[in-house]
Amino acid sequence: MNGLMERGVISKQRLEMVYISSEGDMSQRMVRVLEVREETILAFCLARRKVRTFKRDNILSVFPPKRKKEAAR
């Protein structure tokens, strides 16, 4: 997970992240990672259109976005 996020900073690629809030609410977000810190991740959240700080302990998974299937010809 760490390597993927660090590569995301360099490549500026979008990543999907499954996150659980401090209140226990789970969400899946599309983000662009800006900075990987010791205990947090600074990322631009495309859903909220804001820079957000995510606690590393609350990140359940991070993965490249699923590619859309090509339309049938």
Side-chain angles (χ1 to χ4, degrees):
M1 180 168 70
N2 292 332
L4 182 61
M5 287 191 286
E6 289 173 5
R7 284 192 307 272
V9 172
I10 295 166
S11 68
K12 298 182 181 179
Q13 87 178 68
R14 294 178 181 183
L15 297 173
E16 286 191 51
M17 177 173 67
V18 178
Y19 183 81
I20 189 161
S21 72
S22 300
E23 292 80 32
D25 299 322
M26 192 180 316
S27 66
Q28 184 169 342
R29 302 176 185 217
M30 186 75 72
V31 298
R32 278 205 173 105
V33 179
L34 304 173
E35 187 177 335
V36 178
R37 299 175 179 167
E38 190 171 321
E39 294 185 19
T40 60
I41 301 298
L42 186 67
F44 181 79
C45 176
L46 296 166
R48 298 209 179 183
R49 304 185 78 60
K50 291 184 178 181
V51 175
R52 312 283 292 185
T53 302
F54 299 95
K55 292 180 183 178
R56 291 175 72 128
D57 289 345
N58 292 3
I59 298 172
L60 302 177
S61 67
V62 177
F63 48 93
K66 298 173 187 169
R67 292 185 177 181
K68 294 181 181 178
K69 293 183 180 179
E70 290 186 34
R73 295 181 192 199

